[in-house]
Amino acid sequence: SVPKVALIPEDQIAEHMISQAPRLAEDALKFGDGTVWGFTDATYVQKYWDTVQQFLAHPKIKQVKLKLIGERSETETLLAQNKHVHRQVKFWYEHFDFTCSMWIFGTFVILVITRQRPYYLLEIHDEVLASNLRLVFSGLWESLPEPNKNTPTLSRGNDRRG
């Protein structure tokens, strides 16, 4: 079927994320094993801190496993202190700088741009795109080391992939 696309302007991002939490979680549980894949730009968490906290605390969202690739930042450290056990983060490069956030919830792909104005959220409802992105992110996730203090971080200079 034809993908459905919604463009959400800056002044509606917070409300949209909170109101859509149940639907996104249900879709993630219905398609696959309930894992939400993606990456997060730290500026999203900084600018929408309260929204992120409400979203992660939602009972339906607590039913899914969030496996995200993040960037090492003070914001990510603060978020980790909130002990959202259903949210796991691995780091790709020591100095990797994501310029948007992307999450795959079942058949939904959510992109949020908060690095430049105007901020916006793009919601794509497309089973094919979401399925392919889940495969890419799950493969990438498996290739990354588990985050702990004994794991060396990758930097662009010592990346051995070629």
Side-chain angles (χ1 to χ4, degrees):
S1 71
V2 176
K4 293 178 181 78
V5 179
L7 178 62
I8 309 301
E10 181 175 341
D11 63 343
Q12 296 173 23
I13 291 174
E15 179 185 334
H16 183 80
M17 288 302 295
I18 299 306
S19 69
Q20 295 304 308
R23 180 176 74 146
L24 293 171
E26 288 167 8
D27 210 66
L29 292 165
K30 183 177 176 182
F31 293 91
D33 65 353
T35 300
V36 174
W37 301 99
F39 55 80
T40 300
D41 168 13
T43 65
Y44 171 74
V45 179
Q46 292 164 357
K47 291 171 172 56
Y48 290 92
W49 179 264
D50 291 339
T51 302
V52 170
Q53 294 302 318
Q54 282 183 272
F55 187 84
L56 292 174
H58 193 285
K60 289 281 188 186
I61 294 297
K62 286 183 172 185
Q63 294 176 18
V64 301
K65 298 173 289 211
L66 293 125
K67 293 187 176 183
L68 306 174
I69 299 165
E71 52 198 5
R72 293 188 189 279
S73 66
E74 185 177 323
T75 302
E76 190 60 55
T77 301
L78 288 171
L79 191 56
Q81 291 172 358
N82 286 297
K83 299 185 179 13
H84 297 290
V85 295
H86 56 295
R87 183 181 187 271
Q88 299 173 7
V89 177
K90 288 186 178 182
F91 302 102
W92 191 357
Y93 291 109
E94 186 174 347
H95 300 291
F96 197 79
D97 205 17
F98 290 112
T99 57
C100 75
S101 298
M102 176 189 284
W103 310 293
I104 299 93
F105 286 85
T107 59
F108 288 89
V109 178
I110 308 292
L111 292 109
V112 184
I113 288 69
T114 51
R115 285 281 170 124
Q116 61 190 28
R117 285 239 148 83
Y119 303 156
Y120 62 93
L121 182 150
L122 187 64
E123 180 182 279
I124 305 167
H125 188 200
D126 181 40
E127 189 171 347
V128 173
L129 176 61
S131 176
N132 282 290
L133 286 171
R134 281 195 309 272
L135 288 173
V136 169
F137 277 101
S138 66
L140 181 57
W141 178 267
E142 293 304 319
S143 74
L144 295 173
E146 291 296 323
N148 65 47
K149 54 188 163 191
N150 299 322
T151 303
T153 57
L154 296 174
S155 68
R156 292 179 188 197
N158 68 6
D159 180 10
R160 294 195 182 115
R161 293 176 297 156

